[in-house]
Amino acid sequence: DLITYIISGTVTKNSSGLEHVTMNGLPGNPNTNAAGEYSAAVEFGWSGTVTPRLNHHVFSPSFIEYNDITADQAGQDYTATLNTYTIAGTVTSGGSGLSGVTITGLPASPVTIADGTYSDPVDHGWSGTAAPALAGYTFTPANIPYANVTSDQTGQDYSAEAAYPNAASDYQVIPEVLWAPATGGGTWMTEIQITDVTGG
């Protein structure tokens, strides 16, 4: 009879066993059980490459190569993580990128950089609603809903417009005296500065 050896290990995700992972390349392509464990018997001198597979997941290591097996191979473990996708776009105001806008609702609440762009990774199947926020601005659209994300979402753009209060009580009038430089006999002028109550 041929001598056989056991290749075995565990596939985990977030420190817990992951079920239904197919161990391609082992005889019979076994699946992990509820505890994330797998095992397979191989003949003396067996060689091959084992690659774990489960939809929407990536594995570390991505595969393990074996050459001329002459002993049991225990502890052949893998770690799984969900595929991630990128949600990205640009926030503009008056045709230019607007920095400092927080995209709330995304996992990391990214903030737009100088050119108005933002990006954030989300797990496969992520759902949520993203909404831009920056004091003194309103946005179009006001938010973008996402359901069961399964691919990159680029071009998720927003247009920003400065929000001005409409009620007279939202404003205060501050007289301000200005003058031209003394050289050339400049003239005195009085201007009225109108600001909203936040100082804008």
Side-chain angles (χ1 to χ4, degrees):
D1 293 339
L2 284 173
I3 299 172
T4 59
Y5 299 104
I6 300 298
I7 296 178
S8 62
T10 304
V11 181
T12 57
K13 175 183 173 183
N14 299 327
S15 301
S16 298
L18 181 60
E19 191 176 10
H20 302 308
V21 179
T22 301
M23 308 306 294
N24 286 337
L26 286 175
N29 296 327
N31 289 336
T32 56
N33 61 17
E37 300 165 341
Y38 73 92
S39 67
V42 298
E43 295 179 352
F44 177 90
W46 183 84
S47 297
T49 300
V50 178
T51 306
R53 288 281 185 265
L54 181 63
N55 285 345
H56 315 308
H57 288 76
V58 293
F59 296 87
S60 179
S62 55
F63 61 88
I64 297 177
E65 293 183 344
Y66 300 92
N67 185 40
D68 194 21
I69 294 294
T70 58
D72 288 340
Q73 305 291 312
Q76 306 298 288
D77 300 340
Y78 301 81
T79 301
T81 55
L82 272 175
N83 283 339
T84 59
Y85 307 104
T86 298
I87 295 177
T90 305
V91 181
T92 56
S93 177
S96 300
L98 180 62
S99 64
V101 179
T102 301
I103 311 299
T104 65
L106 293 180
S109 296
V111 178
T112 57
I113 59 176
D115 63 359
T117 60
Y118 72 92
S119 67
D120 200 25
V122 298
D123 286 338
H124 177 90
W126 182 83
S127 297
T129 300
L134 179 63
Y137 287 88
T138 59
F139 297 89
T140 303
N143 59 69
I144 299 177
Y146 299 91
N148 190 30
V149 172
T150 58
S151 63
D152 289 339
Q153 304 292 311
T154 58
Q156 307 298 288
D157 300 339
Y158 301 87
S159 176
E161 184 174 348
Y164 297 102
N166 294 321
S169 60
D170 290 330
Y171 292 87
Q172 55 186 336
V173 177
I174 302 173
E176 186 174 88
V177 177
L178 304 175
W179 60 93
T183 57
T187 56
W188 288 84
M189 297 183 299
T190 299
E191 285 192 355
I192 298 298
Q193 174 186 348
I194 301 177
T195 69
D196 65 36
V197 292
T198 65

